[in-house]
Amino acid sequence: MSQIDLTQTPLGADGSFEVQLAQRGETYRVPADQSILRVLSDAGVDVPFACEQGVCGTCLTKVLAGQPDHWDMFLTPEEQAANNQMMICCSRSQTACLVLDI
Ligand code: FES
């Protein structure tokens, strides 16, 4: 039986998505009204942050799969288009699942 690859599936209507932490082997659901950073830090994952507004670059995180929805002002348009890193304090996902290098 083949499995659906959620990193290729478009984000559903409720705006929530899954975040898989590749190093930790954990998966979290990010609701529409919370940031990835908030969900992870509320779960006890130690993620560095400062401004929480997409400006300082402290929360820069490598993306291994899935497509981020960039809302920051830190990455250049070219860096955003590469879709291999994101600011988890404000950016979201365009796909049902993002795999992060955490
Ligand atoms: Fe400053 Fe995310 S915490 S850009």
Side-chain angles (χ1 to χ4, degrees):
M1 196 161 96
S2 67
Q3 258 194 327
I4 299 169
D5 183 357
L6 293 176
T7 65
Q8 301 296 316
T9 306
L11 184 60
D14 76 350
S16 75
F17 57 93
E18 249 178 33
V19 166
Q20 282 180 23
L21 308 187
Q23 292 177 36
R24 296 172 64 102
E26 297 166 356
T27 301
Y28 296 95
R29 176 146 294 273
V30 180
D33 62 349
Q34 276 189 61
S35 67
I36 300 172
L37 176 66
R38 275 292 127 217
V39 169
L40 296 187
S41 64
D42 286 355
V45 180
D46 190 18
V47 277
F49 67 93
C51 74
E52 288 193 74
Q53 292 177 18
V55 176
C56 71
T58 308
C59 69
L60 182 69
T61 301
K62 217 162 144 188
V63 178
L64 302 176
Q67 204 171 340
D69 182 14
H70 297 283
W71 284 89
D72 67 281
M73 289 164 279
F74 182 79
L75 297 172
T76 64
E78 292 76 21
E79 287 171 331
Q80 290 184 346
N83 282 332
N84 57 6
Q85 53 188 344
M86 70 184 295
M87 316 312 299
I88 59 169
C89 67
C90 62
S91 294
R92 304 191 62 78
S93 183
Q94 298 189 52
T95 48
C97 179
L98 284 177
V99 183
L100 303 179
D101 191 18
I102 294 176

